[in-house]
Amino acid sequence: MKFARPLLIAAVLLVAVGAALWQFVLREPVAFADVATAYAAKQVCSCRFVGERALDSCLGDFTQDISLLDVSENGTPGAETITASALGIVSATAIHQPGLGCVLRP
């Protein structure tokens, strides 16, 4: 019981520091990565499967540096998808629907 109070104080401080870190440092980069992965997945999917271009050619269309994004393709007929992920934390997948184009998978 002697250590319960210091452990509780340490836990509260750790939660407070984590919340402050999230609020002031990490929230915007994670939100940006969320938007960037979704945009890249949709654009590359449309370029690759609707425009019928090579994946490398589609990646060259971006004016911003997307080197931190990992873009992969699943070209299985009927389930053609492009997945973009940022540092393995945030990812988005776009699926090609013939006759409709590409849409982000929820």
Side-chain angles (χ1 to χ4, degrees):
M1 289 310 241
K2 204 190 240 189
F3 298 108
R5 185 177 177 129
L7 284 177
L8 180 62
I9 291 171
V12 168
L13 284 174
L14 186 63
V15 168
V17 168
L21 183 67
W22 172 258
Q23 179 67 30
F24 298 111
V25 178
L26 296 175
R27 190 171 64 161
E28 283 187 33
V30 169
F32 180 77
D34 193 33
V35 171
T37 55
Y39 177 76
K42 165 55 173 84
Q43 290 299 105
V44 172
C45 181
S46 295
C47 175
R48 176 72 184 98
F49 300 119
V50 176
E52 298 179 350
R53 292 173 47 200
L55 182 63
D56 292 336
S57 172
C58 295
L59 293 175
D61 288 347
F62 289 93
T63 56
Q64 297 289 328
D65 179 25
I66 61 166
S67 60
L68 290 178
L69 296 181
D70 179 34
V71 179
S72 61
E73 170 186 355
N74 177 7
T76 307
E80 298 168 324
T81 61
I82 296 288
T83 301
S85 64
L87 304 172
I89 299 171
V90 179
S91 68
T93 301
I95 186 166
H96 176 240
Q97 296 177 341
L100 297 176
C102 290
V103 295
L104 288 173
R105 183 180 290 169

